[in-house]
């Protein structure tokens, strides 16, 4: 243990006050803080270990380019997948539901691929699988073949951007500031502010965000930029690192027709710039459908069509008798064609029969025509499995740089949040006025003893609940942003947590001071300046401890609603054992640890010691309480000191912060790994190097045959498939003639 003024850190911290469990807790908390705030970042790979094989895998694109420049030409990446199967098991019914069933496809650079299908068809699941963003679960099983530029590889082998449906940003920052912070955190090679500003300006022009560059992003409380602008801002943040592949999950969700088309036009232009763009979309308008180069149609997790977009799908399905009427949106026609109609039993039967026949027909066609090049797994060299040098953005000397950048951002977010700060200030003053009116100018009679205790208890409860509810209402959403940024390697957890704590100290301390400044003179508590200062100090430390507890609750539960349910419930337990309702000496043995962990109890104890020490009350009988020390004795607080209560509050605060750190580390997003399937049906773990699936002669034979079939007319290829439809009636779009 590192020395600290002649003592170990554990001894120094535990010596603040308390013993036994308190000292052990303080030692553990101090050790955790040292671990959090002094750990090095991820080391940068040496210059001579650049991944040369990766450049070869990408067809030599970008040879001669400078990888250290953010303006580097986009590296072309072709993604091919075969027999992607994803199943979800149900323990209660012991059944298995297939989310994806042997899905095959390909995405090429410079082309815009859309994954379409009805609700529940597996669009988002497939997109998450390809992006490596499918949340891990023991109930999930994911298998198939995935190749990047002709070789088996993980998602870390290329830079990707993943634009989620929900746009999450720090609401008080402007568009330009959001991009500037993202650039500073991700582009470490740009040290000049002028170069960074120029790069951000280029992004603003490229994404059409110049008109709103200096506008606040906004949220539900503050009006900011529009939904389409937020979606383009999400794209801009993802484009900071010049990704080769862009994934967008339902990018038109919540947008009107015009904004949706603008967003899709932006994605189309990115594809034309050389990016591989893949998006999932439900049912686009006709002008949006016309922007797609390729399309993948899914229904109930199965593949119905994969290939060029435009009129090709209509021609393909027209060969089976399913004709798209004139002046009808092709996307609507395709969506209705592959959907199951649950309006009646007859419609369910006929639509399911049609869909299953279409799935079977395309599975036979795709095995012989589309994607005919065998996807044999190649043996990976050591260098080809290594991530690119530029993909690792952490540096050993970047901890303090990250801290100061995050501190600046956290302070801007906290200080600019005018609506929230105004509401908290008004509530603090209003609560103080109400309590001060109820306990107006308390005297020194025997009945005032109970009044003082009640006032100090409600003051402690009010301060703790106000800080807790504010934190649990905000932090779960902020955690989603932090998880997204940490997954990119923008920063580590230690600098973020420390910067957030320090940035919120001035704002968090203002509200207890307002509350105390109004309440103290109105209730006429112990009228000395030193006692007033101690009163405000105890309330402020309690507020910080409650905020730390709110961070732990926010890190423990999945969303804001759950946090709002768990936080107050946990605080209620601490209120019951807060020292006023249940005397510490009468607490059952199995619950005696709760008062020691209750921030309400320690705040109430400190406030009582500050108020009753040296106070004398009017009395007429010998059994009356004559001094404040006697009142403290009845509460089992006699012999305690204020500094002991402050030390206990600090230990609780450090405990909650350390717990928050551990929970955030434990609950960071984990993604399902893809099990590689060999041609014989066996599965292998992705971490094991596999032998080539086919010999060279067999591979040549199997690649030559499909090339001949590709030359055959589409009508000839579909004649045999159409025979399988039997008595299925031709599909006619409702409302058409």
């Amino acid at each position: 243990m590192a020395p600290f003024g002649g003592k170990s850190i554990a001894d120094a911290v535990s010596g603040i006050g308390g013993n036994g469990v308190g000292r052990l807790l303080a030692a553990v908390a101090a050790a955790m803080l040292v671990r959090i705030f002094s750990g090095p970042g991820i080391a940068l790979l040496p210059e001579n270990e650049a991944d040369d094989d990766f450049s070869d895998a990408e067809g030599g694109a970008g040879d001669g380019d400078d990888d250290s420049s953010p303006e580097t030409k986009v590296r072309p990446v072709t993604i091919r997948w075969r027999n992607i199967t994803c199943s979800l098991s149900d323990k209660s019914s012991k059944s298995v539901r297939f989310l994806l069933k042997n899905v095959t496809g390909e995405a090429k650079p410079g082309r815009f691929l859309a994954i379409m299908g009805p609700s529940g068809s597996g669009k988002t699941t497939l997109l998450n699988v390809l992006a490596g963003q499918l949340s891990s679960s023991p109930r999930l099983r994911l298998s198939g073949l995935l190749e990047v530029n002709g070789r088996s590889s993980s998602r870390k082998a290329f830079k990707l951007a993943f634009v989620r449906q929900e746009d999450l940003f720090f609401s008080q920052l402007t568009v330009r500031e959001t991009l500037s912070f993202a650039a500073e955190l991700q582009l470490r090679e740009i040290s000049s502010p002028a170069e960074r500003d120029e790069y951000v300006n280029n992004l603003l022009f490229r994404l059409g965000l110049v008109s709103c560059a200096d506008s606040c992003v906004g949220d539900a409380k503050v009006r900011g930029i529009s939904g389409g602008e937020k979606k383009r801002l999400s794209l801009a943040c993802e484009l900071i690192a010049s990704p080769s592949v862009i994934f967008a999950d339902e990018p038109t969700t919540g947008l009107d027709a015009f904004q949706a088309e603008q967003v899709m036009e932006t994605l189309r232009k990115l594809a034309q710039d050389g990016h591989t763009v893949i998006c999932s979309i439900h049912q686009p308008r006709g002008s949006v459908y016309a922007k797609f180069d390729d399309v993948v149609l899914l229904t109930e997790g199965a593949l119905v069509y994969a290939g060029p977009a435009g009129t090709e799908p209509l021609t393909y399905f027209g060969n089976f008798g399913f004709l798209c009427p004139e002046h009808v949106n092709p996307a609507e026609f395709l969506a209705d064609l592959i959907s199951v109609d649950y309006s009646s039993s007859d419609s369910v039967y006929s639509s399911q029969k049609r869909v299953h026949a279409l799935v079977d027909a395309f599975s036979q066609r795709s095995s012989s025509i589309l994607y005919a090049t065998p996807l044999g797994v190649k043996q990976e060299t050591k260098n080809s499995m290594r991530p690119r040098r530029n993909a690792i953005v952490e540096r050993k000397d970047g901890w303090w740089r990250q801290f100061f950048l995050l501190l600046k951002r956290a302070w801007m977010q906290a200080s600019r949040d005018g609506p929230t700060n105004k509401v908290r200030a008004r509530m603090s003053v209003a609560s103080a006025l109400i309590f001060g009116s109820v306990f107006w100018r308390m005297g020194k009679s025997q009945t005032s003893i109970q009044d003082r205790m009640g006032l100090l208890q409600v003051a402690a409860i009010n301060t703790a609940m106000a800080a807790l509810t504010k934190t649990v209402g905000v932090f779960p959403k902020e955690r989603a942003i932090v998880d997204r940024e940490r997954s990119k390697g923008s920063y580590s957890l230690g600098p973020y947590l420390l910067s957030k704590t320090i940035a919120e100290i001035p704002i968090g301390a203002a509200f207890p001071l307002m509350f105390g400044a109004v309440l103290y003179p109105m209730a006429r508590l112990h009228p000395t300046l030193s006692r007033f200062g101690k009163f405000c100090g105890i309330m402020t430390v309690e507020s910080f401890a409650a905020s730390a507890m709110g961070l732990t609750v926010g890190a423990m539960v999945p969303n804001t609603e759950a946090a709002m349910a768990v936080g107050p419930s946990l605080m209620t337990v601490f209120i019951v054992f807060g020292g006023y309702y249940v005397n510490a000496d009468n607490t059952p043995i199995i619950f005696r640890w709760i008062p020691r962990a209750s921030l309400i109890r320690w705040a109430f104890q400190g406030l009582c010691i500050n108020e009753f020490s040296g106070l004398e009350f009017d009395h007429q009988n010998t059994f009356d309480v004559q001094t404040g020390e006697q009142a403290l004795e009845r509460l089992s607080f006699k012999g305690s000191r204020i500094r002991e209560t402050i030390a206990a509050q600090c230990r609780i605060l450090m405990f909650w912060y350390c717990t928050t750190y551990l929970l955030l580390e434990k609950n960071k997003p984990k993604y399902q790994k893809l099990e590689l399937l060999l041609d014989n049906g066996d599965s292998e773990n992705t971490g094991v190097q596999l032998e080539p699936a086919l010999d060279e002669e067999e591979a040549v034979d199997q690649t030559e045959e499909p090339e001949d079939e590709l030359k055959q007319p589409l009508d000839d290829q579909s004649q045999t498939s159409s025979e399988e439809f039997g008595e299925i009636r031709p599909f006619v779009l409702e409302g058409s003639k």
Side-chain angles (χ1 to χ4, degrees):
M1 186 72 70
F4 185 81
K7 300 180 180 180
S8 67
I9 293 179
D11 294 337
V13 176
S14 62
I16 295 176
N19 50 36
V21 177
R23 294 196 174 202
L24 178 61
L25 180 61
V28 173
M32 282 300 305
L33 286 177
V34 172
R35 168 68 177 86
I36 292 171
F37 301 135
S38 63
I42 302 174
L44 186 69
L45 287 179
E47 296 290 336
N48 57 356
E49 292 187 9
D51 190 0
D52 298 331
D53 289 344
F54 183 81
S55 300
D56 297 337
E58 293 181 334
D63 291 344
D65 294 340
D66 184 8
D67 287 347
S68 63
S69 173
E71 301 293 342
T72 301
K73 183 179 177 181
V74 178
R75 292 177 178 270
V77 169
T78 300
I79 302 177
R80 307 182 70 189
W81 58 95
R82 186 177 120 188
N83 296 336
I84 298 295
T85 300
C86 181
S87 60
L88 180 66
S89 60
D90 189 350
K91 293 183 179 180
S92 58
S93 60
K94 296 183 180 180
S95 61
V96 177
R97 181 166 65 96
F98 283 90
L99 306 179
L100 295 174
K101 307 172 186 175
N102 295 323
V103 178
T104 299
E106 181 180 28
K108 298 179 180 179
R111 298 183 67 82
F112 190 2
L113 171 64
I115 304 174
M116 297 172 54
S119 299
S121 60
K123 302 185 298 296
T124 299
T125 302
L126 177 59
L127 190 76
N128 289 335
V129 169
L130 299 180
Q133 300 288 315
L134 186 64
S135 298
S136 178
S137 172
R139 298 167 52 201
L140 273 177
R141 182 175 180 186
L142 179 63
S143 61
L145 286 172
L146 180 64
E147 286 195 348
V148 177
N149 289 330
R151 65 174 61 190
S152 174
S153 182
S154 65
R155 67 184 182 93
K156 293 182 179 180
F158 60 92
K159 290 183 179 181
L160 64 87
F162 190 83
V163 182
R164 294 170 172 80
Q165 288 191 44
E166 186 177 5
D167 302 314
L168 297 174
F169 301 102
F170 288 96
S171 59
Q172 303 305 318
L173 302 181
T174 65
V175 173
R176 189 186 303 275
E177 289 170 345
T178 301
L179 287 177
S180 295
F181 278 114
E184 285 190 85
L185 290 170
Q186 296 185 46
L187 300 179
R188 308 296 173 80
E189 61 272 14
I190 301 181
S191 57
S192 172
E195 293 181 8
R196 187 165 50 248
D197 292 341
E198 182 181 359
Y199 184 67
V200 170
N201 289 333
N202 291 336
L203 272 178
L204 292 173
F205 278 105
R206 189 178 180 187
L207 275 299
L209 296 171
V210 177
S211 60
C212 62
D214 297 316
S215 300
C216 179
V217 175
D219 55 9
K221 298 176 293 184
V222 179
R223 183 181 179 90
I225 60 178
S226 65
E229 290 168 339
K230 284 186 178 180
K231 188 63 67 176
R232 294 202 298 273
L233 179 58
S234 297
L235 280 170
C237 291
E238 295 293 337
L239 290 175
I240 289 288
S242 299
S244 298
V245 185
I246 300 174
F247 297 93
D249 184 15
E250 299 280 2
T252 60
T253 300
L255 304 180
D256 57 48
F258 177 78
Q259 294 286 357
E261 185 165 1
Q262 292 296 312
V263 171
M264 301 307 287
E265 176 64 19
T266 302
L267 289 173
R268 186 186 69 85
K269 290 181 178 178
L270 292 173
Q272 291 178 346
D273 291 340
H275 298 273
T276 303
V277 182
I278 307 173
C279 81
S280 62
I281 192 166
H282 179 64
Q283 189 169 315
R285 59 188 293 189
S287 59
V288 171
Y289 176 79
K291 300 180 188 300
F292 300 145
D293 298 306
D294 300 302
V295 65
V296 171
L297 297 181
L298 296 176
T299 179
E300 297 181 344
L303 186 63
V304 184
Y305 174 84
T311 60
E312 281 79 357
L314 305 182
T315 304
Y316 169 74
F317 291 113
N319 292 324
F320 300 126
F322 303 120
L323 303 176
C324 177
E326 296 182 0
H327 309 297
V328 173
N329 180 4
E332 295 180 359
F333 169 78
L334 295 175
D336 293 340
L337 177 64
I338 61 178
S339 298
V340 177
D341 185 3
Y342 290 97
S343 59
S344 65
S345 58
D346 292 338
S347 62
V348 170
Y349 173 76
S350 60
S351 59
Q352 283 185 340
K353 187 176 181 181
R354 178 184 71 244
V355 168
H356 293 164
L358 289 173
V359 171
D360 293 340
F362 188 79
S363 64
Q364 296 181 7
R365 178 176 184 266
S366 62
S367 63
S368 60
I369 298 179
L370 297 179
Y371 319 114
T373 303
L375 293 175
V377 181
K378 299 180 181 180
Q379 185 173 0
E380 301 291 342
T381 63
K382 181 179 179 181
N383 289 332
S384 64
M385 295 299 292
R386 187 192 308 133
R388 289 179 57 194
R389 176 171 55 87
N390 287 346
I392 301 179
V393 298
E394 297 282 353
R395 298 180 187 270
K396 288 185 176 180
D397 58 351
W399 197 98
W400 287 107
R401 181 177 181 274
Q402 294 174 12
F403 167 72
F404 287 116
L405 285 174
L406 295 173
L407 179 62
K408 180 181 178 182
R409 187 178 71 175
W411 170 249
M412 294 169 66
Q413 174 69 16
S415 61
R416 292 180 183 178
D417 194 1
T420 300
N421 295 334
K422 289 179 182 178
V423 170
R424 292 187 67 187
R426 291 169 182 170
M427 290 303 299
S428 297
V429 174
S431 301
L433 290 174
I434 294 173
F435 296 153
S437 301
V438 174
F439 299 95
W440 175 259
R441 294 194 173 276
M442 294 181 294
K444 295 185 179 180
S445 62
Q446 292 295 307
T447 56
S448 69
I449 299 176
Q450 180 181 357
D451 294 345
R452 291 174 189 272
M453 292 180 181
L455 174 60
L456 298 178
Q457 178 72 4
V458 297
I461 295 174
N462 178 77
T463 301
M465 290 297 293
L468 176 72
T469 52
K470 185 266 176 184
T471 305
V472 298
V474 173
F475 184 66
K477 295 181 180 179
E478 184 175 327
R479 187 189 67 183
I481 303 176
V482 174
D483 287 341
R484 182 187 65 189
E485 293 176 336
R486 288 177 58 207
S487 65
K488 301 177 188 176
S490 298
Y491 51 81
S492 55
L493 183 57
Y496 161 73
L497 201 57
L498 181 60
S499 64
K500 179 177 177 61
T501 302
I502 295 177
E504 293 183 351
I505 287 178
I507 305 296
F511 305 111
L513 293 177
M514 291 182 187
F515 180 81
V518 176
L519 176 64
Y520 205 88
M522 290 184 65
R524 200 164 62 181
L525 297 173
H526 210 132
T528 61
L529 186 60
S530 62
R531 298 292 179 103
F532 171 72
K534 293 177 181 178
F535 177 90
C536 293
I538 294 170
M539 301 287 285
T540 302
V541 175
E542 182 198 19
S543 176
F544 292 155
S547 295
M549 176 180 165
L551 292 177
T552 302
V553 174
M556 180 172 54
V557 298
N559 50 50
T560 303
E561 290 74 15
M564 294 297 290
V566 173
S569 301
L570 184 59
M571 186 64 74
T572 302
V573 177
F574 290 155
I575 292 174
V576 172
F577 293 93
Y580 182 75
Y581 302 105
V582 179
N583 193 287
D585 294 339
N586 298 329
T587 304
I589 296 178
I590 59 174
F591 296 130
R592 294 235 171 134
W593 63 272
I594 300 180
R596 296 189 181 96
S598 173
L599 53 91
I600 301 290
R601 180 255 176 149
W602 289 111
F604 177 62
Q605 179 175 331
L607 294 175
C608 287
I609 295 172
N610 181 65
E611 175 63 22
F612 286 102
S613 297
L615 202 62
E616 295 184 358
F617 298 99
D618 299 334
H619 60 281
Q620 296 178 351
N621 304 311
T622 56
F623 53 82
D624 290 339
V625 176
Q626 301 179 14
T627 63
E629 283 72 13
Q630 293 177 350
L632 292 175
E633 185 176 1
R634 291 189 176 185
L635 293 171
S636 300
F637 293 161
K638 186 178 181 181
S640 300
R641 298 180 180 180
I642 294 179
R643 67 179 183 181
E644 295 177 1
T645 63
I646 296 292
Q649 290 275 55
C650 292
R651 290 196 295 269
I652 293 174
L653 185 148
M654 290 199 308
F655 169 77
W656 288 123
Y657 273 124
C658 293
T659 304
T660 301
Y661 180 89
L662 295 175
L663 287 174
L664 290 176
E665 278 291 342
K666 179 182 178 182
N667 296 336
K668 62 183 178 181
K670 298 178 181 178
Y671 302 112
Q672 193 78 14
K673 293 183 178 181
L674 181 69
E675 297 179 5
L676 296 180
L677 284 180
L678 298 175
D679 290 343
N680 58 8
D682 297 334
S683 62
E684 291 287 347
N685 191 293
T686 54
V688 181
Q689 295 184 355
L690 304 178
E691 297 295 334
L694 298 173
D695 296 334
E696 293 184 0
E697 296 181 358
E698 296 176 350
V700 170
D701 294 339
Q702 294 192 17
T703 53
E704 289 178 353
E705 295 178 1
E707 290 180 357
D708 297 335
E709 296 180 358
L710 282 171
K711 299 178 182 178
Q712 300 179 12
L714 182 62
D715 294 340
D716 296 340
Q717 295 295 330
S718 59
Q719 286 178 357
T720 57
S721 299
S722 61
E723 296 176 357
E724 300 180 1
F725 284 81
E727 299 179 355
I728 300 179
R729 295 174 296 174
F731 176 76
V732 180
L733 191 67
E734 288 187 14
S736 61
K737 295 181 180 180

